Amino acid sequence: MNPIKVGLLGIGTVGSGTFNVLKRNQEEIRRRAGRGIEIAVVADLNTERARELTGGTVDVVSDANDVVTRPDIDIVVELIGGYGIARELVLKAIENGKHVVTANKALLAVHGNEIFEAARKKGVIVAFEAAVAGGIPIIKALREGLTANRIQWIAGIINGTTNFILSEMRDKGLDFETVLKEAQQLGYAEADPTFDIEGIDAAHKVTLMSAIAFGMPVQFDRAHVEGITKLSAIDIKYAEELGYRIKLLGITRRREDGVELRVHPTLVPASRLIANVEGAMNAVLVQGDAVGATLYYGKGAGAEPTASAVIADLVDVTRLHTADPNHRVPHLAFQPDELSNVPVLPIEEVTSSYYLRMRVSDETGVLAEITRILAEAGISIDAMLQKESREGEPQTDIIILTHLTREKQVNAAIRSIEALQTVLSPVTRLRMEELN
Ligand code: NDP
Ligand code: HSE
């Protein structure tokens, strides 16, 4: 059988990884797919570099529109990134009857509903394994491997840059800015790392997992997003003393009244496997009602790890190319007419445990006043740490860990605590997850 023909849009980090792995393992991949997979054309703004990378073996064009309309192309692989030109090209490829493989989580988290609907109408596949946690086959696991389960929650370290920064801050006691520069030098962080450090990249990814896990449309605009820019080294240190590590987690949880969808720095017990995922590695913990907890670990970024996921999609599409569209795995795991309108809950309705740190005057009765406010708000204390005040400085840090409580109750209590004259700083509030 003739090879299936692929048009590659963008031959940057992931595009070149995809080209190289496909070339290196082509015989093994052909045996799995049932026919060869051939990149016939590459579009990139830098045609000279593209020709160099491909060694003159494929057509190279500068205008990606020439690829998505080319009659001999069966699959378009979009590896440009962003929501602008990538959206136009993906929709145009679909309109022209091409299957699409993409690693673009930003595009799908924001425009996924439109893109999946266009693909459904046209009977083509949009595959996106590489969009979440790079080389880890988490989309496949959620959509197929765990299909028997009512998924209860997912918690993931799904941004390598921020995990690297947090690991370095904890291990070496370095400050945020220093480690961010190191992450950029090592190539983990983007040139403009805002999406990484502000939690937006992780929110794109958890949004996609949430839709697949709970059978609902993609709802990035409802996600609560906090990055790590406001996290201070002292909280990482105190968390450690209390037996916790701070991780930037993407969390989505099914509740009676809706779904939680959030990204924020989170205290996790140091004894959990996921708390020990260090450096730029990713890990996703999924709790299903039948299987229990399952954990997926690996490289969430990089040329070849991400190419591994892109090519897995290419093989899937090649196998399913001629299948009746109704017999394919639905884009969001649930049949499109079975997606539900379950609401994403506002952050004030989230239930969590909390870490509260405050600077107080070191005098009699301060602690009693704080615990009274918490008790009156119905918030139960799990643990407490009071630091010794330094000589000549009648101030100290108090850290309180609470049991599970509704976020709005904690916020109200914090307002009352901050109004006390003996409380000398705003209260630092971090969420905690037991993940058991
Ligand atoms: P790069 O910036 O390395 O590559 C993008 C490539 O697309 C560049 O070569 C760029 O050319 C080219 N390009 C830009 N605009 C156009 C256009 N209009 N037409 C044709 N080519 C164009 O990005 P990555 O490879 O890192 O990322 C690609 C996608 O994969 C993104 O969606 C990203 O989020 C996702 N992803 C990336 C991972 C990673 O580890 N890097 C991991 C998981 C997902 P030029 O350089 O000349 O501008
Ligand atoms: N910038 C992303 C990260 C790349 O650090 O995880 C992978 O999506």
Side-chain angles (χ1 to χ4, degrees):
M1 197 187 280
N2 289 335
I4 198 159
K5 298 262 174 139
V6 176
L8 178 60
L9 311 183
I11 187 155
T13 304
V14 183
S16 55
T18 301
F19 187 87
N20 292 337
V21 176
L22 203 48
K23 192 168 156 205
R24 187 170 77 231
N25 296 343
Q26 59 179 311
E27 183 50 20
E28 197 95 349
I29 291 166
R30 184 197 61 75
R31 286 169 58 212
R32 291 195 171 113
R35 61 193 284 201
I37 298 176
E38 179 188 309
I39 295 183
V41 56
V42 171
D44 200 282
L45 297 179
N46 189 339
T47 49
E48 202 177 314
R49 193 190 54 202
R51 277 198 194 92
E52 237 171 72
L53 288 168
T54 55
T57 53
V58 303
D59 295 345
V60 172
V61 296
S62 60
D63 186 353
N65 286 288
D66 295 346
V67 175
V68 298
T69 51
R70 219 171 106 153
D72 64 329
I73 295 299
D74 304 298
I75 311 173
V76 167
V77 178
E78 184 277 306
L79 297 174
I80 292 174
Y83 326 97
I85 184 75
R87 174 178 163 272
E88 279 172 37
L89 290 167
V90 163
L91 287 172
K92 201 164 178 182
I94 292 169
E95 196 183 301
N96 280 275
K98 319 292 184 200
H99 301 293
V100 172
V101 172
T102 179
N104 193 337
K105 56 263 174 172
L107 175 68
L108 293 181
V110 176
H111 298 292
N113 298 325
E114 176 194 20
I115 288 169
F116 296 137
E117 177 56 14
R120 190 191 62 77
K121 283 196 182 134
K122 205 71 193 179
V124 296
I125 303 168
V126 175
F128 54 98
E129 183 61 71
V132 181
I136 305 174
I138 187 63
I139 299 295
K140 190 96 172 169
L142 286 172
R143 209 159 50 175
E144 298 176 49
L146 299 175
T147 201
N149 288 263
R150 244 177 98 76
I151 291 173
Q152 291 156 330
W153 53 262
I154 301 173
I157 295 171
I158 43 182
N159 182 270
T161 302
T162 44
N163 201 51
F164 174 77
I165 292 174
L166 292 177
S167 300
E168 291 285 288
M169 283 173 78
R170 186 182 63 82
D171 272 1
K172 302 184 180 157
L174 296 172
D175 65 65
F176 176 81
E177 291 300 334
T178 310
V179 190
L180 174 59
K181 280 202 194 89
E182 195 184 339
Q184 282 173 304
Q185 277 157 11
L186 286 166
Y188 299 143
E190 317 282 329
D192 172 6
T194 315
F195 272 25
D196 294 314
I197 60 180
E198 294 296 356
I200 299 163
D201 177 71
H204 288 147
K205 293 167 181 167
V206 73
T207 295
L208 292 171
M209 291 198 286
S210 183
I212 292 171
F214 305 126
M216 59 190 212
V218 177
Q219 299 181 60
F220 172 68
D221 53 344
R222 307 295 311 275
H224 175 83
V225 190
E226 280 172 42
I228 60 167
T229 47
K230 296 192 183 81
L231 193 65
S232 63
I234 193 74
D235 293 310
I236 296 177
K237 184 169 163 285
Y238 287 163
E240 187 89 358
E241 285 178 31
L242 287 156
Y244 290 83
R245 299 241 167 112
I246 299 183
K247 295 289 178 188
L248 184 74
L249 291 188
I251 298 172
T252 186
R253 176 178 278 124
R254 184 199 292 271
R255 292 228 320 243
E256 291 272 305
D257 47 350
V259 163
E260 294 180 0
L261 180 58
R262 49 193 168 105
V263 171
H264 49 72
T266 313
L267 274 80
V268 180
S271 56
R272 299 276 177 272
L273 275 176
I274 198 165
N276 293 281
V277 171
E278 301 290 11
M281 300 304 278
N282 280 198
V284 183
L285 189 52
V286 183
Q287 177 79 23
D289 67 339
V291 72
T294 53
L295 180 66
Y296 308 83
Y297 170 84
K299 288 187 179 157
E304 294 211 352
T306 313
S308 165
V310 170
I311 296 168
D313 276 346
L314 281 172
V315 171
D316 259 1
V317 174
T318 303
R319 286 172 179 152
L320 295 168
H321 176 52
T322 51
D324 176 346
N326 292 320
H327 296 158
R328 295 181 186 142
V329 181
H331 293 113
L332 294 178
F334 290 69
Q335 299 298 334
D337 56 355
E338 295 288 345
L339 293 184
S340 79
N341 281 327
V342 56
V344 174
L345 298 166
I347 192 69
E348 286 254 298
E349 296 302 327
V350 158
T351 305
S352 180
S353 315
Y354 292 86
Y355 161 105
L356 308 175
R357 170 175 62 84
M358 59 214 80
R359 187 107 184 121
V360 299
S361 304
D362 194 7
E363 59 187 79
T364 316
V366 177
L367 196 52
E369 277 189 293
I370 293 166
T371 53
R372 177 186 54 77
I373 289 171
L374 291 173
E376 281 173 8
I379 299 165
S380 160
I381 295 173
D382 179 39
M384 201 151 54
L385 179 69
Q386 179 171 350
K387 304 306 287 182
E388 270 180 40
S389 51
R390 277 180 284 177
E391 216 175 299
E393 193 187 35
Q395 301 179 359
T396 186
D397 281 339
I398 291 181
I399 300 100
I400 294 174
L401 306 186
T402 76
H403 282 297
L404 278 182
T405 184
R406 212 34 83 94
E407 179 135 336
K408 64 180 165 201
Q409 279 169 266
V410 168
N411 289 346
I414 288 174
R415 284 193 289 273
S416 304
I417 291 171
E418 285 176 342
L420 296 173
Q421 285 203 334
T422 45
V423 173
L424 308 172
S425 69
V427 175
T428 297
R429 185 213 54 197
L430 294 168
R431 301 177 190 90
M432 300 170 45
E433 294 288 334
E434 287 299 317
L435 303 180
N436 53 10

